[in-house]
Coordinates of all heavy atoms in Angstrom, one line a residue:
M55 N -100.4 -15.4 -93.8 CA -99.9 -14.1 -93.7 C -98.5 -14.2 -93.1 O -98.2 -14.8 -92.1 CB -100.8 -13.3 -92.8 CG -100.5 -11.8 -92.8 SD -102.0 -10.9 -92.4 CE -101.5 -10.1 -91.0
P56 N -97.5 -13.5 -93.8 CA -96.1 -13.6 -93.4 C -95.9 -12.8 -92.1 O -96.6 -11.8 -91.9 CB -95.3 -12.9 -94.5 CG -96.3 -12.2 -95.3 CD -97.6 -12.8 -95.1
K57 N -95.1 -13.3 -91.3 CA -94.8 -12.7 -90.0 C -93.7 -11.6 -90.2 O -92.7 -11.9 -90.8 CB -94.3 -13.7 -89.0 CG -94.3 -13.3 -87.6 CD -94.0 -14.5 -86.7 CE -94.0 -14.0 -85.2 NZ -93.8 -15.1 -84.3
I58 N -93.9 -10.4 -89.6 CA -93.0 -9.3 -89.7 C -92.0 -9.4 -88.6 O -92.4 -9.5 -87.4 CB -93.7 -8.0 -89.8 CG1 -94.6 -7.9 -91.0 CG2 -92.7 -6.8 -89.8 CD1 -95.4 -6.6 -91.0
K59 N -90.7 -9.4 -88.9 CA -89.7 -9.4 -87.8 C -89.7 -8.1 -87.1 O -89.9 -7.0 -87.6 CB -88.3 -9.6 -88.5 CG -88.2 -11.0 -89.1 CD -86.8 -11.1 -89.7 CE -86.6 -12.4 -90.4 NZ -85.3 -12.5 -91.1
P60 N -89.5 -8.2 -85.8 CA -89.4 -6.9 -84.9 C -88.4 -5.9 -85.4 O -88.6 -4.7 -85.3 CB -89.1 -7.4 -83.5 CG -89.5 -8.9 -83.5 CD -89.3 -9.4 -84.9
I61 N -87.3 -6.4 -86.0 CA -86.2 -5.5 -86.4 C -86.7 -4.6 -87.6 O -86.3 -3.5 -87.7 CB -84.9 -6.3 -86.8 CG1 -83.7 -5.3 -86.9 CG2 -85.1 -7.1 -88.0 CD1 -83.2 -4.8 -85.6
I62 N -87.6 -5.2 -88.4 CA -88.1 -4.4 -89.6 C -89.0 -3.3 -89.0 O -89.0 -2.2 -89.5 CB -88.9 -5.3 -90.5 CG1 -87.9 -6.3 -91.2 CG2 -89.6 -4.5 -91.6 CD1 -88.6 -7.4 -92.0
I63 N -89.8 -3.6 -88.0 CA -90.7 -2.6 -87.4 C -89.8 -1.5 -86.8 O -90.1 -0.3 -86.9 CB -91.6 -3.2 -86.4 CG1 -92.6 -4.2 -87.1 CG2 -92.4 -2.1 -85.6 CD1 -93.4 -5.0 -86.2
L64 N -88.7 -1.9 -86.2 CA -87.8 -0.9 -85.6 C -87.2 0.0 -86.7 O -87.1 1.2 -86.5 CB -86.7 -1.6 -84.8 CG -85.6 -0.7 -84.1 CD1 -86.3 0.2 -83.1 CD2 -84.5 -1.5 -83.5
Y65 N -86.7 -0.6 -87.8 CA -86.2 0.2 -88.9 C -87.2 1.2 -89.4 O -86.9 2.4 -89.7 CB -85.7 -0.7 -90.0 CG -84.4 -1.4 -89.7 CD1 -84.2 -2.7 -90.3 CD2 -83.4 -0.8 -88.9 CE1 -83.0 -3.3 -90.0 CE2 -82.2 -1.5 -88.7 CZ -82.0 -2.7 -89.2 OH -80.9 -3.4 -89.0
I66 N -88.4 0.8 -89.6 CA -89.5 1.7 -90.1 C -89.7 2.8 -89.1 O -89.9 4.0 -89.5 CB -90.8 0.9 -90.4 CG1 -90.6 -0.1 -91.5 CG2 -92.0 1.8 -90.6 CD1 -91.7 -1.1 -91.7
I67 N -89.8 2.5 -87.8 CA -90.0 3.6 -86.8 C -88.8 4.5 -86.8 O -89.0 5.8 -86.7 CB -90.2 2.9 -85.4 CG1 -91.5 2.2 -85.3 CG2 -90.1 4.0 -84.3 CD1 -91.7 1.4 -84.1
L68 N -87.6 4.1 -86.9 CA -86.4 4.9 -86.9 C -86.4 5.8 -88.2 O -86.1 7.0 -88.1 CB -85.2 4.1 -86.9 CG -84.8 3.5 -85.5 CD1 -83.6 2.6 -85.6 CD2 -84.5 4.6 -84.5
V69 N -86.8 5.3 -89.3 CA -86.9 6.1 -90.5 C -87.9 7.2 -90.4 O -87.7 8.4 -90.7 CB -87.2 5.2 -91.8 CG1 -87.5 6.1 -93.0 CG2 -86.0 4.4 -92.1
L70 N -89.1 6.8 -89.9 CA -90.2 7.8 -89.7 C -89.8 8.9 -88.7 O -90.0 10.1 -88.9 CB -91.5 7.1 -89.3 CG -92.1 6.2 -90.3 CD1 -93.3 5.5 -89.7 CD2 -92.5 7.0 -91.6
F71 N -89.1 8.5 -87.6 CA -88.7 9.5 -86.6 C -87.7 10.4 -87.2 O -87.7 11.6 -86.9 CB -88.1 8.7 -85.4 CG -87.6 9.6 -84.3 CD1 -88.5 10.3 -83.5 CD2 -86.3 9.9 -84.1 CE1 -88.1 11.2 -82.5 CE2 -85.8 10.7 -83.1 CZ -86.7 11.4 -82.3
N72 N -86.7 9.9 -88.0 CA -85.7 10.7 -88.6 C -86.3 11.7 -89.6 O -85.8 12.8 -89.7 CB -84.6 9.9 -89.2 CG -83.6 9.4 -88.1 OD1 -83.0 10.3 -87.4 ND2 -83.4 8.1 -88.0
L73 N -87.3 11.2 -90.4 CA -87.9 12.1 -91.3 C -88.7 13.2 -90.7 O -88.7 14.3 -91.1 CB -88.8 11.3 -92.3 CG -88.0 10.4 -93.3 CD1 -89.0 9.5 -94.1 CD2 -87.1 11.2 -94.2
A74 N -89.3 12.9 -89.6 CA -90.0 13.9 -88.8 C -89.0 14.9 -88.2 O -89.3 16.1 -88.2 CB -90.9 13.3 -87.7
S75 N -87.9 14.4 -87.7 CA -86.9 15.3 -87.2 C -86.3 16.2 -88.3 O -86.1 17.4 -88.1 CB -85.7 14.5 -86.6 OG -86.2 13.7 -85.5
L76 N -86.2 15.7 -89.5 CA -85.7 16.4 -90.6 C -86.6 17.6 -90.9 O -86.2 18.7 -91.2 CB -85.5 15.5 -91.8 CG -84.6 16.0 -92.9 CD1 -83.2 16.4 -92.4 CD2 -84.5 15.0 -94.0
Y77 N -87.9 17.3 -90.9 CA -88.9 18.3 -91.2 C -88.8 19.5 -90.1 O -88.8 20.6 -90.5 CB -90.3 17.7 -91.1 CG -91.4 18.8 -91.1 CD1 -91.7 19.5 -92.3 CD2 -92.1 19.1 -89.9 CE1 -92.7 20.5 -92.3 CE2 -93.0 20.1 -89.9 CZ -93.4 20.8 -91.1 OH -94.3 21.7 -91.1
F78 N -88.7 19.1 -88.8 CA -88.6 20.2 -87.8 C -87.3 20.9 -87.9 O -87.3 22.1 -87.6 CB -88.8 19.6 -86.4 CG -90.2 19.2 -86.2 CD1 -90.6 17.8 -86.0 CD2 -91.3 20.1 -86.2 CE1 -91.9 17.4 -85.7 CE2 -92.6 19.7 -85.9 CZ -92.9 18.4 -85.7
I79 N -86.3 20.3 -88.3 CA -85.0 21.0 -88.5 C -85.1 22.0 -89.6 O -84.6 23.1 -89.5 CB -83.8 20.0 -88.7 CG1 -83.6 19.2 -87.4 CG2 -82.6 20.7 -89.1 CD1 -82.8 18.0 -87.6
I80 N -85.7 21.6 -90.7 CA -85.9 22.5 -91.9 C -86.7 23.7 -91.5 O -86.5 24.8 -91.8 CB -86.5 21.8 -93.1 CG1 -85.4 20.8 -93.6 CG2 -86.9 22.7 -94.2 CD1 -85.9 19.8 -94.7
V81 N -87.7 23.5 -90.6 CA -88.5 24.6 -90.1 C -87.7 25.5 -89.2 O -87.8 26.7 -89.2 CB -89.8 24.1 -89.3 CG1 -90.5 25.2 -88.6 CG2 -90.7 23.4 -90.3
L82 N -86.8 24.9 -88.4 CA -85.9 25.6 -87.6 C -85.0 26.6 -88.4 O -84.6 27.7 -87.9 CB -85.1 24.7 -86.7 CG -84.1 25.3 -85.6 CD1 -85.0 26.0 -84.6 CD2 -83.3 24.2 -85.0
F83 N -84.6 26.2 -89.6 CA -83.8 27.1 -90.4 C -84.5 28.4 -90.8 O -83.8 29.4 -91.1 CB -83.4 26.4 -91.7 CG -82.2 25.5 -91.6 CD1 -82.3 24.1 -91.8 CD2 -81.0 26.0 -91.3 CE1 -81.2 23.3 -91.7 CE2 -79.8 25.2 -91.2 CZ -80.0 23.9 -91.4
S84 N -85.8 28.4 -90.7 CA -86.5 29.6 -91.1 C -86.5 30.7 -90.0 O -86.9 31.8 -90.2 CB -88.0 29.3 -91.5 OG -88.7 28.8 -90.3
Y85 N -86.1 30.3 -88.8 CA -86.1 31.3 -87.7 C -84.7 31.9 -87.6 O -83.7 31.2 -87.7 CB -86.4 30.6 -86.3 CG -87.8 30.1 -86.2 CD1 -88.1 28.7 -86.3 CD2 -88.8 31.0 -86.0 CE1 -89.4 28.3 -86.2 CE2 -90.1 30.5 -85.9 CZ -90.4 29.2 -86.0 OH -91.7 28.7 -86.0
D86 N -84.6 33.2 -87.4 CA -83.4 33.9 -87.2 C -82.8 33.7 -85.8 O -81.6 33.4 -85.6 CB -83.5 35.3 -87.6 CG -82.2 36.0 -87.6 OD1 -81.2 35.4 -88.1 OD2 -82.1 37.2 -87.2
E87 N -83.7 33.9 -84.8 CA -83.3 33.7 -83.4 C -84.5 33.4 -82.6 O -85.6 33.7 -83.0 CB -82.5 34.9 -82.9 CG -83.3 36.1 -82.5 CD -82.5 37.2 -81.9 OE1 -81.3 37.0 -81.6 OE2 -83.1 38.2 -81.6
I88 N -84.3 32.7 -81.5 CA -85.3 32.4 -80.6 C -85.1 33.2 -79.3 O -84.0 33.3 -78.8 CB -85.3 30.9 -80.2 CG1 -85.7 30.1 -81.5 CG2 -86.3 30.6 -79.1 CD1 -85.6 28.6 -81.3
T89 N -86.2 33.8 -78.8 CA -86.1 34.7 -77.6 C -87.0 34.1 -76.5 O -88.1 33.7 -76.8 CB -86.6 36.1 -78.0 OG1 -85.8 36.6 -79.0 CG2 -86.4 37.0 -76.8
G90 N -86.5 34.1 -75.3 CA -87.2 33.6 -74.2 C -87.0 34.5 -73.0 O -86.1 35.3 -73.0
F91 N -87.9 34.4 -72.0 CA -87.8 35.2 -70.8 C -87.6 34.3 -69.6 O -88.3 33.4 -69.5 CB -89.1 36.1 -70.7 CG -89.2 37.1 -71.8 CD1 -90.0 36.8 -72.9 CD2 -88.5 38.3 -71.7 CE1 -90.2 37.8 -73.9 CE2 -88.7 39.2 -72.7 CZ -89.5 39.0 -73.8
L92 N -86.6 34.7 -68.8 CA -86.3 33.9 -67.6 C -87.3 34.3 -66.5 O -88.0 35.3 -66.6 CB -84.9 34.1 -67.2 CG -83.8 33.8 -68.3 CD1 -82.4 34.1 -67.8 CD2 -83.9 32.3 -68.6
L93 N -87.2 33.5 -65.4 CA -88.1 33.8 -64.3 C -87.9 35.2 -63.6 O -88.8 35.8 -63.1 CB -88.0 32.7 -63.2 CG -88.5 31.3 -63.7 CD1 -88.2 30.3 -62.6 CD2 -90.0 31.4 -64.0
N94 N -86.6 35.6 -63.7 CA -86.3 36.9 -63.0 C -86.6 38.1 -64.0 O -86.2 39.2 -63.7 CB -84.9 37.0 -62.5 CG -83.9 36.7 -63.6 OD1 -84.2 36.6 -64.8 ND2 -82.6 36.7 -63.2
G95 N -87.2 37.8 -65.1 CA -87.5 38.9 -66.1 C -86.5 39.2 -67.1 O -86.7 40.1 -68.0
E96 N -85.3 38.6 -67.1 CA -84.3 38.8 -68.1 C -84.7 38.2 -69.4 O -85.4 37.2 -69.4 CB -83.0 38.2 -67.6 CG -82.3 39.0 -66.4 CD -81.0 38.4 -66.0 OE1 -80.3 37.8 -66.9 OE2 -80.6 38.5 -64.9
K97 N -84.2 38.8 -70.4 CA -84.4 38.3 -71.8 C -83.2 37.4 -72.2 O -82.1 37.8 -72.1 CB -84.6 39.4 -72.7 CG -84.9 39.1 -74.1 CD -85.2 40.4 -74.9 CE -85.1 40.1 -76.4 NZ -85.2 41.3 -77.2
K98 N -83.5 36.3 -72.8 CA -82.4 35.4 -73.3 C -82.8 35.1 -74.8 O -83.9 34.7 -75.1 CB -82.4 34.1 -72.5 CG -81.3 33.2 -73.0 CD -81.2 31.9 -72.1 CE -80.2 31.0 -72.7 NZ -80.1 29.8 -71.9
S99 N -81.8 35.3 -75.6 CA -82.0 35.0 -77.1 C -80.9 34.1 -77.6 O -79.8 34.1 -77.0 CB -82.1 36.2 -77.9 OG -80.9 36.9 -77.8
M100 N -81.2 33.3 -78.6 CA -80.2 32.3 -79.1 C -80.3 32.3 -80.6 O -81.4 32.2 -81.2 CB -80.5 31.0 -78.5 CG -79.6 29.9 -79.0 SD -80.1 28.3 -78.2 CE -79.4 27.2 -79.3
R101 N -79.2 32.3 -81.3 CA -79.2 32.1 -82.8 C -79.5 30.6 -83.1 O -79.0 29.8 -82.3 CB -77.9 32.5 -83.3 CG -77.4 33.9 -82.9 CD -77.8 35.0 -83.7 NE -77.6 34.9 -85.1 CZ -78.2 35.7 -86.0 NH1 -79.0 36.6 -85.6 NH2 -78.0 35.5 -87.3
T102 N -80.2 30.4 -84.1 CA -80.6 29.0 -84.4 C -79.8 28.3 -85.5 O -79.9 27.1 -85.7 CB -82.1 28.9 -84.8 OG1 -82.3 29.7 -85.9 CG2 -82.9 29.4 -83.6
R103 N -79.0 29.1 -86.3 CA -78.3 28.5 -87.4 C -77.3 27.4 -87.0 O -77.3 26.4 -87.7 CB -77.6 29.6 -88.2 CG -78.5 30.5 -89.0 CD -79.1 29.8 -90.1 NE -80.1 30.6 -90.7 CZ -80.6 30.4 -91.9 NH1 -80.2 29.4 -92.6 NH2 -81.6 31.2 -92.3
G104 N -76.5 27.7 -86.0 CA -75.5 26.7 -85.6 C -76.1 25.3 -85.2 O -75.7 24.3 -85.7
P105 N -77.0 25.4 -84.2 CA -77.6 24.1 -83.8 C -78.4 23.4 -84.9 O -78.4 22.2 -85.0 CB -78.5 24.5 -82.6 CG -78.0 25.7 -82.1 CD -77.4 26.4 -83.3
A106 N -79.0 24.2 -85.8 CA -79.8 23.7 -86.9 C -78.9 22.9 -87.8 O -79.3 21.8 -88.3 CB -80.6 24.8 -87.6
Y107 N -77.8 23.4 -88.2 CA -76.8 22.7 -89.0 C -76.3 21.4 -88.4 O -76.2 20.4 -89.0 CB -75.6 23.6 -89.4 CG -75.9 24.6 -90.5 CD1 -75.8 25.9 -90.3 CD2 -76.3 24.1 -91.8 CE1 -76.1 26.8 -91.3 CE2 -76.5 25.0 -92.8 CZ -76.5 26.4 -92.6 OH -76.7 27.2 -93.6
L108 N -76.0 21.5 -87.1 CA -75.6 20.3 -86.4 C -76.7 19.2 -86.4 O -76.4 18.1 -86.7 CB -75.2 20.7 -84.9 CG -74.8 19.6 -84.0 CD1 -73.4 19.1 -84.5 CD2 -74.7 20.0 -82.6
F109 N -77.9 19.6 -86.1 CA -79.0 18.6 -86.1 C -79.2 18.1 -87.5 O -79.5 16.9 -87.7 CB -80.3 19.2 -85.5 CG -80.2 19.6 -84.1 CD1 -80.9 20.7 -83.6 CD2 -79.4 18.9 -83.2 CE1 -80.8 21.1 -82.3 CE2 -79.3 19.3 -81.9 CZ -80.0 20.4 -81.4
Y110 N -79.1 18.9 -88.5 CA -79.3 18.5 -89.9 C -78.3 17.5 -90.3 O -78.7 16.4 -90.9 CB -79.3 19.8 -90.8 CG -79.5 19.5 -92.2 CD1 -80.8 19.2 -92.7 CD2 -78.5 19.7 -93.2 CE1 -81.1 18.9 -94.0 CE2 -78.8 19.5 -94.5 CZ -80.0 19.1 -94.9 OH -80.3 18.9 -96.2
I111 N -77.1 17.7 -90.0 CA -76.0 16.8 -90.4 C -76.2 15.5 -89.6 O -76.0 14.4 -90.2 CB -74.6 17.4 -90.2 CG1 -74.4 18.5 -91.2 CG2 -73.5 16.4 -90.2 CD1 -73.2 19.4 -90.9
A112 N -76.5 15.6 -88.3 CA -76.7 14.3 -87.5 C -77.8 13.5 -88.0 O -77.7 12.3 -88.1 CB -76.9 14.7 -86.1
T113 N -78.9 14.1 -88.4 CA -80.1 13.4 -88.9 C -79.8 12.8 -90.2 O -80.2 11.6 -90.5 CB -81.3 14.4 -89.0 OG1 -81.5 14.9 -87.7 CG2 -82.5 13.6 -89.4
L114 N -79.1 13.5 -91.1 CA -78.8 12.9 -92.4 C -77.8 11.7 -92.2 O -77.9 10.7 -93.0 CB -78.2 13.9 -93.3 CG -79.2 15.0 -93.9 CD1 -78.4 16.0 -94.8 CD2 -80.3 14.3 -94.6
L115 N -76.9 11.8 -91.3 CA -76.0 10.7 -91.0 C -76.7 9.5 -90.5 O -76.4 8.3 -90.8 CB -74.9 11.1 -90.1 CG -73.8 12.0 -90.7 CD1 -72.8 12.5 -89.7 CD2 -73.1 11.3 -91.9
N116 N -77.7 9.8 -89.6 CA -78.6 8.7 -89.1 C -79.3 8.0 -90.2 O -79.3 6.7 -90.2 CB -79.6 9.2 -88.1 CG -79.0 9.5 -86.7 OD1 -77.9 9.0 -86.4 ND2 -79.6 10.4 -86.0
L117 N -79.9 8.7 -91.1 CA -80.6 8.1 -92.2 C -79.7 7.3 -93.1 O -80.0 6.2 -93.6 CB -81.4 9.2 -93.0 CG -82.6 9.7 -92.4 CD1 -83.1 10.9 -93.1 CD2 -83.7 8.6 -92.3
Y118 N -78.5 7.9 -93.4 CA -77.5 7.2 -94.2 C -77.1 5.9 -93.6 O -77.1 4.8 -94.3 CB -76.3 8.1 -94.5 CG -75.2 7.4 -95.2 CD1 -75.2 7.1 -96.5 CD2 -74.0 7.0 -94.5 CE1 -74.2 6.4 -97.1 CE2 -73.0 6.3 -95.1 CZ -73.1 6.0 -96.4 OH -72.1 5.4 -97.0
Y119 N -76.8 5.9 -92.3 CA -76.3 4.7 -91.6 C -77.5 3.7 -91.6 O -77.2 2.5 -91.8 CB -75.9 5.0 -90.2 CG -75.4 3.8 -89.4 CD1 -74.2 3.2 -89.7 CD2 -76.2 3.3 -88.4 CE1 -73.8 2.1 -89.0 CE2 -75.8 2.2 -87.7 CZ -74.6 1.6 -88.0 OH -74.3 0.4 -87.3
L120 N -78.7 4.1 -91.4 CA -79.8 3.2 -91.3 C -80.0 2.5 -92.7 O -80.2 1.3 -92.7 CB -81.1 4.0 -90.9 CG -82.3 3.1 -90.6 CD1 -82.1 2.2 -89.5 CD2 -83.5 4.1 -90.3
F121 N -80.0 3.3 -93.7 CA -80.2 2.7 -95.1 C -79.0 1.8 -95.4 O -79.2 0.7 -96.1 CB -80.4 3.8 -96.1 CG -81.8 4.3 -96.1 CD1 -82.1 5.6 -95.8 CD2 -82.9 3.5 -96.4 CE1 -83.4 6.1 -95.7 CE2 -84.2 3.9 -96.4 CZ -84.4 5.3 -96.0
Y122 N -77.8 2.2 -95.1 CA -76.6 1.4 -95.4 C -76.7 0.0 -94.6 O -76.5 -1.0 -95.2 CB -75.4 2.1 -94.9 CG -74.1 1.3 -95.0 CD1 -73.5 1.1 -96.2 CD2 -73.5 0.7 -93.9 CE1 -72.4 0.3 -96.4 CE2 -72.4 0.0 -94.0 CZ -71.8 -0.2 -95.2 OH -70.7 -1.0 -95.3
T123 N -77.2 0.1 -93.4 CA -77.3 -1.2 -92.6 C -78.4 -2.1 -93.2 O -78.2 -3.3 -93.3 CB -77.7 -0.9 -91.2 OG1 -76.7 0.0 -90.6 CG2 -77.7 -2.1 -90.3
V124 N -79.5 -1.5 -93.6 CA -80.6 -2.3 -94.2 C -80.2 -2.9 -95.5 O -80.4 -4.1 -95.7 CB -81.9 -1.4 -94.3 CG1 -82.9 -2.2 -95.2 CG2 -82.4 -1.1 -93.0
I125 N -79.6 -2.1 -96.4 CA -79.2 -2.6 -97.7 C -78.1 -3.7 -97.5 O -78.1 -4.7 -98.2 CB -78.7 -1.5 -98.6 CG1 -80.0 -0.7 -98.9 CG2 -78.0 -2.0 -99.8 CD1 -79.7 0.6 -99.7
K126 N -77.1 -3.4 -96.7 CA -76.0 -4.4 -96.4 C -76.6 -5.7 -95.9 O -76.2 -6.8 -96.4 CB -75.0 -3.8 -95.5 CG -73.8 -4.8 -95.2 CD -72.8 -4.1 -94.3 CE -71.7 -5.1 -94.0 NZ -70.8 -4.5 -93.0
K127 N -77.5 -5.6 -95.0 CA -78.1 -6.9 -94.4 C -78.9 -7.6 -95.5 O -78.9 -8.8 -95.6 CB -79.0 -6.5 -93.2 CG -79.6 -7.7 -92.5 CD -80.3 -7.3 -91.3 CE -80.9 -8.5 -90.6 NZ -81.3 -8.3 -89.3
K128 N -79.6 -6.9 -96.3 CA -80.5 -7.5 -97.4 C -79.6 -8.2 -98.4 O -80.0 -9.3 -98.8 CB -81.3 -6.4 -98.1 CG -82.2 -6.9 -99.1 CD -83.3 -7.7 -98.4 CE -84.3 -8.2 -99.5 NZ -85.3 -9.1 -98.9
F129 N -78.5 -7.7 -98.8 CA -77.6 -8.3 -99.8 C -76.7 -9.4 -99.2 O -76.2 -10.2 -100.0 CB -76.8 -7.3 -100.6 CG -77.6 -6.5 -101.5 CD1 -77.8 -5.1 -101.4 CD2 -78.2 -7.1 -102.6 CE1 -78.6 -4.4 -102.3 CE2 -78.9 -6.4 -103.5 CZ -79.1 -5.1 -103.4
T130 N -76.5 -9.4 -97.9 CA -75.7 -10.5 -97.4 C -76.5 -11.7 -96.8 O -75.9 -12.7 -96.5 CB -74.8 -9.9 -96.2 OG1 -75.6 -9.4 -95.2 CG2 -73.8 -8.9 -96.8
E131 N -77.8 -11.5 -96.8 CA -78.6 -12.7 -96.3 C -78.7 -13.8 -97.4 O -78.6 -13.5 -98.6 CB -80.1 -12.2 -96.0 CG -80.2 -11.5 -94.8 CD -81.7 -11.1 -94.5 OE1 -82.5 -11.3 -95.4 OE2 -81.9 -10.5 -93.4
N132 N -78.7 -15.0 -96.9 CA -78.9 -16.1 -97.8 C -80.4 -16.2 -98.2 O -81.3 -16.1 -97.3 CB -78.5 -17.4 -97.2 CG -77.0 -17.4 -97.0 OD1 -76.2 -16.8 -97.7 ND2 -76.5 -18.1 -96.0
P133 N -80.8 -16.4 -99.5 CA -82.2 -16.5 -99.8 C -82.9 -17.7 -99.3 O -82.4 -18.7 -99.0 CB -82.2 -16.5 -101.3 CG -80.8 -16.6 -101.8 CD -79.9 -16.5 -100.6

């Protein structure tokens, strides 16, 4: 049975984590605003579109960089 390198396991975990993050970010796009109540009874609300776009772009860039690194490493290795 071939031995799996630890770096491959790390790449798989990072891809799965980024895909899960992408799912939650897409769900975050469906909310218009989030409302919470502070300890002193005040109401605090926050729009979610701005942070959702920021997280979306960051997650897609993480996935792009990860796949770029894996493909570059695969094609530069000696067989």
Side-chain angles (χ1 to χ4, degrees):
M55 189 150 119
K57 191 173 184 181
I58 298 177
K59 294 180 182 178
I61 195 75
I62 294 173
I63 295 171
L64 179 64
Y65 285 148
I66 293 170
I67 291 171
L68 284 173
V69 167
L70 292 176
F71 180 75
N72 279 303
L73 290 176
S75 297
L76 197 58
Y77 169 76
F78 289 116
I79 291 167
I80 290 171
V81 170
L82 185 63
F83 275 118
S84 67
Y85 294 105
D86 188 37
E87 77 177 353
I88 295 175
T89 304
F91 295 96
L92 300 175
L93 293 175
N94 59 3
E96 290 183 27
K97 180 179 165 185
K98 180 180 179 182
S99 64
M100 178 182 163
R101 308 274 308 165
T102 60
R103 289 288 171 164
Y107 280 118
L108 179 70
F109 296 148
Y110 183 68
I111 291 170
T113 303
L114 289 179
L115 286 173
N116 284 338
L117 285 169
Y118 173 74
Y119 179 74
L120 186 63
F121 282 116
Y122 174 77
T123 304
V124 169
I125 290 173
K126 183 178 176 184
K127 185 174 182 166
K128 184 68 176 170
F129 284 115
T130 57
E131 284 182 354
N132 294 329

